[in-house]
Amino acid sequence: MQTTEVAASPEQVTGEASPGVVHEVRWPGRLRRAAAFRNVSALYLLALMVAVFALWVPDTFLTAGTWRSLLSDQAVTCLVAVGLVIPTAAGVIDLAIGAEVGLGAILVARLLVGHVPTPAAIVLSLLAGAAVGVFSWLMITRARIPSFIATLAVSSLLAATTAWISSSQQIVNLPAGFGKLGTGQLLGITYPVYIMVAVAGLLWYVLERTPAGRRVYATGGNVDAMGGSSEAAALAGIRVSRIVLFALMTSGMVAALAGLLLTSQLSTGDPTVGPGYLLPVIAAVFLGSTQFRGGRFNIWGTVLAAYTLAVGVKGLQLAGLPIWIPDLFNGTALLAAVGLAAWRKPTVNRREAILRLIRSNTTTAWAVRRSRRNELLARATAANVDAASEDAADGTSPGMAQERPWPGRLRRAAAFRNVSALYLLALMVAVFALWVPDTFLTAGTWRSLLSDQAVTCLVAVGLVIPTAAGVIDLAIGAEVGLGAILVARLLVGHVPTPAAIVLSLLAGAAVGVFSWLMITRARIPSFIATLAVSSLLAAATAWISSSQQIVNLPPGFGKLGTGQLLGITYPVYIMVAVAGLLWYVLERTPAGRRVYATGGNPQAAALVGVRPSRIILFALVTSGAIAGLAGLLLTSQLSTGDPTVGPGYLLPVIAAVFLGSTQFRGGRFNIWGTVLAAYTLAVGVKGLQLAGLPIWIPDLFNGTALLAAVGLAAWRRAPTTRGTGPGRFRRVLDRTSN
């Protein structure tokens, strides 16, 4: 029952209001509130789409078969989405949810063709999903890896596992009885719909009617945008780690259930089906948070949102639009959903708004603000004093640094914590030299490795800038793909080569501007915004290329990627030049200091005059332009515009950036550490491929490397809090002006 307290309007209550008296809201007020656009916007959007498609394609859209198939086909997606509600409500971003669906789909198929009884195969698949949740929990809570990075790496590990189980092939000849689970009907509706409703009802009850659900909401109610744990919930006595474990195990089991239902519907175990669920379910969860519960992630809002988005995609497909339309629609829906969730705030009546305005402009309010500012300045001064004391303890004094004896400097420079990638590189060279000496220890192998890795390394050094500024850019791979296909399309359209190159770089910069708008103006967390942007770029790439390779490029353009100087291809020199320029900007200019200050603590940086929004714009435009450059170099090397090449760069470059942060600069994202890390990881992948290991080994290696890199970066942090205060940032920025 909806209730309100004192000062309720006459249309809401009967009788005279008095302090402490609770009045029941009349049914017209409750009805207006329930039907408000801000509360059920998805219903209005659904009605609008139904009306549009009913007029556009009435012969195919307004049929019982279409709606029955939409209800049944969307049940699996909706099931995954309601499972994802639990970790998202607990403040965990689970980017492995699609890969978990794929694992469940392929594992149950492998067990069934291995003559495991159907009930046992189902139970084992569900337990495998729960085990993935446990592993993700260990990475997040024990290895202290941010949830979106940990689950991104886990998705790569699951992709490798799925390819290993299936041998990268479909699994057929499943038992006939298993297919009835996904295709059997009751009252004309397939069983997966009933299963989805049952799971949704159970999870709704847990979230809304049990202490466990309240603890989930409390855990997720005070987390930062990076997926950090809730300190407020821990102070209230909630064991945050257990809640995160419960959330991840639940979502893993539900994803596995969705996967086996999908296999039952298809009567085939398909190793490629999982990743496609990621964007639709994230969009459904965030759009669902704006429905019914006023900004809170909830089950029935997610169900409504999932089917609303499904109607949009189905209508566009029935209208005969191209195959890239779902990517465009899902990316746009995700941006709209999260932007709407950020905009979705409790309404404030006019009287309360006026009172707030008056209270914020009283003498007392001004005095409080002055006191707060003086407190921050005092903290800045204290931070400067503490930093000076630490410098004195290290044997330095303000304005003068005492040089350490060279043996000490040498030991420090060669310490494992400072150059661990060098020791890892030496170990891998030794192992592969003994394992495959005939192919690994050749000049051709090392020359090709140096040249082939130049593009990956270029993308990685470009990604250092936004990452150092505190922005997680998950669209970097799609930006490479856009640059690769756009320059090819321009060249075959007889655009001069210099103009095509400039336009491709400008397109990459434009993507950075768009991402900046989503992050700073729409207030969408960077990893969600750039994930959606990657879907938009996938649609743009498919549109530009018509989902086909672009060939017959001008012969002269190929020399840019394959021409050599002193036996080394031009992309290596371009990468070194770009890396040198970015190193100089980051380490020797005020702009670089501001980038590090913004990434370290935006609020503290703002106190000393840094404008974080401008720094983020600079970072994203720079990385976008460099990704565009990498894409056109890749097209030059291949002599073909390939629309599928971009996404594969995401995991290797993120792993290189985080592993590079542990090299040379003591936990700081830096250029030359990233270059070293990129080539170290490339040597590992190259050696494994030369050893004749399966094609899924790179996914396994990259996922493991990413977990190791970020875990090592967390362990590598200094135990003190030096460098976190505004005074420290003032010192860092002032050094460039002296």
Side-chain angles (χ1 to χ4, degrees), residues 192-218:
V193 178
Y194 294 102
I195 295 173
M196 180 273 294
V197 172
V199 172
L202 176 61
L203 294 182
W204 168 83
Y205 182 82
V206 171
L207 276 182
E208 304 292 341
R209 293 292 185 269
T210 67
R214 289 191 288 273
R215 294 188 182 101
V216 168
Y217 282 128

Side-chain angles (χ1 to χ4, degrees), residues 60-80:
T60 53
F61 187 75
L62 294 178
T63 63
T66 295
W67 285 89
R68 191 179 297 111
S69 67
L70 191 149
L71 185 66
S72 299
D73 297 343
Q74 190 64 13
V76 171
T77 302
C78 194
L79 181 62
V80 181

Side-chain angles (χ1 to χ4, degrees), residues 229-301:
S229 297
S230 171
E231 294 182 0
L235 291 173
I238 296 175
R239 296 187 176 181
V240 172
S241 179
R242 290 188 179 182
I243 296 299
V244 172
L245 175 60
F246 160 74
L248 288 170
M249 288 183 64
T250 301
S251 68
M253 293 181 68
V254 173
L257 174 61
L260 65 90
L261 288 175
L262 183 63
T263 295
S264 178
Q265 288 178 336
L266 300 175
S267 297
T268 301
D270 190 342
T272 66
V273 296
Y277 284 90
L278 179 61
L279 268 173
V281 300
I282 290 182
V285 169
F286 277 92
L287 180 57
S289 71
T290 67
Q291 310 300 305
F292 307 138
R293 300 291 294 164
R296 175 187 290 184
F297 296 106
N298 66 93
I299 298 297
W300 299 122

Side-chain angles (χ1 to χ4, degrees), residues 382-397 404 718 720-723 728 731:
N384 272 330
V385 172
D386 291 342
S389 300
E390 292 181 18
D391 285 341
D394 291 338
T396 62
S397 59
R404 294 186 179 184
T720 67
T721 59
R722 180 179 178 180
R728 177 61 175 171
R731 290 181 63 206

